Amino acid sequence: MNILVINCGSSSLKYQLIDSGTEEVLAKGLCERIGIDGSVLTHTPAGKDKVKIETPMPNHTVAVKLVIDALTDAEHGVVKSLDEINAVGHRVVHGGEKFASSVVINDEVLGAIEECNDLAPLHNPANLIGINSCREIMPDVPMVAVFDTAFHQTMPEKAYLYGLPYEYYEKYKIRRYGFHGTSHDYVSARAAEILGKTRDTLKIIVCHLGNGGSVSAVDHGKCVDTSMGLTPLEGIIMGTRSGSIDPAICDFICQKEHLTSAEMNSILNKKSGVLGMSKVSSDFRDIEAAANDGNTLAEVTLDAFYYSVAKYIGAYAAAMNGVDAIAFTAGVGENNVLGRAEIAKYLGYLGTEIDAEKNNVRGEDRVISTDESKVALLCVPTNEELAIARQTASLVK
Ligand code: AMP
């Protein structure tokens, strides 16, 4: 079965066509600048050269049409016609409390996703536009919504309720939801597989460390806590997001700098994190290079980042009353050899021993702890598109 995986943003659309039988990526690509001048589609068919198509994309429906044309093109296409696209899996950021798992899309589901727009105003409306555009162009192809929040819906109340008046939960559903759920689900299952065990026998901590980052506690296959909250702003220090801070800081800065709450929100999301702290970059490679050149602020920033991850690992080892495996994933988690080693330095009390030679690997599935280590450390590249394709295939069969 060929599954088209769609990840739609407000002005972009990423896609992959995956054969769910072989799990091979037949083609992938990206539409950029949808609705703005200079729209471009970059299409990469497996085993063929990348093509760049510069043509106006006034809206997402036009973009989806171009993607289908590229996939079925005589020269750089990978299937003969639309009939060979058997289902579409859509990444949807927020499923609120309504969706604890992936679901086949119908009008009722669309309405329920729309009701979650308030909780993710930047993401859910764009995801809905992507779904509607695909339905317009492929009305007979079954579609599935896969939610970033769904995997975390197993958290108990004690983990998802904030220390706020309960009425805000009752009125507005303000609580911890967590994000990157598809990745935490995929990586925890894969970590168990690499260890030759089943996930329902293990206590696993997943550190998804990318430009955005989150840590989760997966106890016998179920998420029991995660670092992101109502929005993806809470938790560890990230590329441009502050992570958890004293909430009173917002009012303090707003008063001193005469900022509105929207401006403050933008600073917390876009100008904070390692970018704001280091004054260098949001890219960990640049900060590492600056630290190596003797930039002490860059050095402190990296230390603060590693420390913030280590603190969540400690918290989640406590939450699960132990931990069997800790898996690192996403851009930084998969590639930053030094970062994993620095985080592991904080974990000696757990009986954890990293193996410097095994850890010297980028983007490869493997155990990176010694045979004697009481807790297994792993590097596990995430693959959210494959996870979406698998869930889509299982629901439309
Ligand atoms: P992601 O959001 O998962 O795509 O991750 C993006 C982040 O991965 C970027 O901020 C990079 O700093 C980081 N990254 C990628 N490769 C490396 C590397 N070799 N060393 C350190 N960080 C890396």
Side-chain angles (χ1 to χ4, degrees):
M1 197 186 282
N2 291 333
I3 313 284
L4 179 60
V5 176
I6 298 275
N7 182 354
C8 197
S10 56
S11 66
S12 69
L13 187 153
K14 278 192 232 157
Y15 64 92
Q16 281 195 10
L17 186 67
I18 297 177
D19 177 337
S20 66
T22 61
E23 301 204 327
E24 188 191 347
V25 178
L26 305 176
K28 60 181 171 185
L30 168 69
C31 300
E32 290 169 283
R33 301 183 65 85
I34 302 170
I36 10 183
D37 282 351
S39 314
V40 56
L41 161 62
T42 312
H43 174 72
T44 313
K48 293 185 201 169
D49 285 342
K50 189 188 274 193
V51 277
K52 257 192 164 179
I53 302 163
E54 288 175 36
T55 181
M57 293 180 217
N59 56 50
H60 287 76
T61 308
V62 175
V64 172
K65 176 94 183 46
L66 285 165
V67 169
I68 302 297
D69 288 349
L71 290 169
T72 54
D73 185 84
E75 222 172 285
H76 47 257
V78 290
V79 290
K80 286 197 194 71
S81 74
L82 193 55
D83 294 344
E84 291 180 39
I85 297 175
N86 307 103
V88 183
H90 291 272
R91 177 187 182 210
V92 179
V93 167
H94 220 304
E97 287 188 329
K98 287 185 190 356
F99 299 104
S101 58
S102 303
V103 62
V104 175
I105 297 173
N106 57 28
D107 290 342
E108 198 186 323
V109 167
L110 281 180
I113 296 174
E114 206 173 333
E115 281 173 31
C116 302
N117 278 3
D118 256 6
L119 295 168
L122 297 179
H123 295 101
N124 269 33
N127 301 152
L128 278 169
I129 289 171
I131 295 172
N132 286 324
S133 299
C134 287
R135 287 181 108 202
E136 212 176 309
I137 295 189
M138 302 173 257
D140 300 324
V141 179
M143 307 212 178
V144 168
V146 179
F147 301 92
D148 268 30
T149 48
F151 182 62
H152 303 303
Q153 276 297 302
T154 47
M155 279 187 289
E157 278 176 313
K158 66 181 175 190
Y160 73 69
L161 285 179
Y162 287 117
L164 288 169
Y166 192 70
E167 64 178 283
Y168 296 130
Y169 171 62
E170 292 173 307
K171 279 204 267 189
Y172 310 118
K173 292 279 174 237
I174 289 180
R175 49 159 284 180
R176 174 181 313 286
Y177 289 97
F179 298 87
H180 298 135
T182 313
S183 177
H184 287 286
D185 185 11
Y186 175 88
V187 170
S188 54
R190 184 78 194 108
E193 205 173 80
I194 295 169
L195 294 171
K197 304 206 166 132
T198 55
R199 189 169 63 170
D200 56 11
T201 62
L202 295 171
K203 297 173 180 181
I204 304 174
I205 296 175
V206 178
C207 305
H208 178 112
L209 312 177
N211 190 32
S214 61
V215 183
S216 71
V218 184
D219 195 353
H220 295 82
K222 288 200 163 77
C223 175
V224 292
D225 209 342
T226 191
S227 59
M228 282 180 166
L230 173 75
T231 75
L233 184 56
E234 192 183 346
I236 58 171
I237 295 170
M238 299 174 229
T240 63
R241 290 175 230 161
S242 63
S244 298
I245 58 167
D246 178 348
I249 292 171
C250 296
D251 187 51
F252 190 91
I253 295 179
C254 281
Q255 297 214 24
K256 293 278 181 202
E257 301 265 324
H258 309 292
L259 299 176
T260 63
S261 65
E263 286 165 336
M264 188 67 228
N265 203 31
S266 169
I267 289 170
L268 293 173
N269 275 291
K270 296 180 183 157
K271 296 192 177 157
S272 301
V274 294
L275 167 71
M277 290 176 80
S278 69
K279 301 185 179 182
V280 171
S281 165
S282 63
D283 193 306
F284 284 80
R285 286 165 289 200
D286 299 339
I287 305 173
E288 238 177 67
N292 288 338
D293 284 347
N295 180 330
T296 49
L297 200 50
E299 212 175 298
V300 172
T301 299
L302 290 174
D303 269 355
F305 170 74
Y306 304 141
Y307 180 61
S308 83
V309 176
K311 283 202 293 184
Y312 270 99
I313 293 174
Y316 292 163
M320 296 191 287
N321 194 19
V323 54
D324 300 305
I326 301 169
F328 295 95
T329 193
V332 182
E334 290 166 27
N335 298 303
N336 192 338
V337 174
L338 174 73
R340 290 191 301 248
E342 289 297 318
I343 293 166
K345 278 188 191 164
Y346 289 103
L347 308 177
Y349 70 97
L350 291 170
T352 303
E353 261 179 36
I354 197 160
D355 182 316
E357 203 176 307
K358 290 183 191 164
N359 183 42
N360 197 12
V361 65
R362 291 189 162 85
E364 210 180 280
D365 279 325
R366 73 157 36 166
V367 174
I368 55 170
S369 48
T370 62
D371 294 343
E372 290 73 38
S373 183
K374 292 213 171 65
V375 179
L377 299 174
L378 300 101
C379 170
V380 182
T382 192
N383 193 338
E384 286 162 287
E385 290 79 13
L386 177 59
I388 292 173
R390 282 180 182 167
Q391 290 184 32
T392 304
S394 75
L395 281 175
V396 301
K397 245 180 208 159

